[in-house]
Amino acid sequence: PLGACLASEEAASGMGPGSHGTTYGGNHLAMAVGNAVLDEILAPGFLAHVRDIGEELGAALDDFARTHPDQVVEPRGTGLMRGLKLAAEFDPRAVMRKALEKRLLIVPAGDNVIRLLPPLICEREHVEEAMKRLGATLAG
């Protein structure tokens, strides 16, 4: 965790060393990790790959919704921030617990939605495996 504070010179004039603390204030380790993450994100092709995998995940969830109309009302989201609105009889928290048993990490959200938030390093085979595990979760 790291963060930054930007202030005008006028606002900053009242802040001396140690006068402005934050939970996400930079420390040596957090700053080194943040810099390494930024190097990866800025590497050639990384963001294009993230965009492509996000599109693949979206297409997979669209297909899943079409083939499971009694379970899924609609897919939602964009990129790698996706969700499925489930049919009324599904409790998202119960689905989350079942998914954990299948080793699939999802998050319940409002409006009877489950969220899928894979990491930026997700690959096509991870999307395929997630769809299999999601199907097994909702089947039983």
Side-chain angles (χ1 to χ4, degrees), residues 9-73:
E9 283 189 40
E10 183 180 343
S13 67
M15 289 188 258
S19 67
H20 186 296
T22 173
T23 302
Y24 295 109
N27 61 62
H28 296 292
L29 177 61
M31 298 309 291
V33 170
N35 194 44
V37 169
L38 191 56
D39 288 345
E40 291 298 318
I41 289 173
L42 296 176
F46 182 84
L47 291 177
H49 175 74
V50 170
R51 184 182 56 250
D52 292 345
I53 291 296
E55 290 173 7
E56 288 186 32
L57 177 59
L61 291 172
D62 287 344
D63 288 344
F64 190 88
R66 275 192 295 277
T67 58
H68 296 81
D70 294 337
Q71 298 165 323
V72 178
V73 174

Side-chain angles (χ1 to χ4, degrees), residues 76-112:
R76 295 181 174 178
T78 187
L80 289 175
M81 296 179 69
R82 300 286 179 159
L84 289 176
K85 180 172 178 159
L86 301 176
E89 65 268 15
F90 289 95
D91 171 14
R93 292 194 186 285
V95 172
M96 178 192 69
R97 288 188 295 275
K98 283 184 179 180
L100 279 174
E101 292 172 9
K102 307 287 184 202
R103 299 180 55 93
L104 176 64
L105 184 60
I106 60 173
V107 181
D111 198 22
N112 219 42

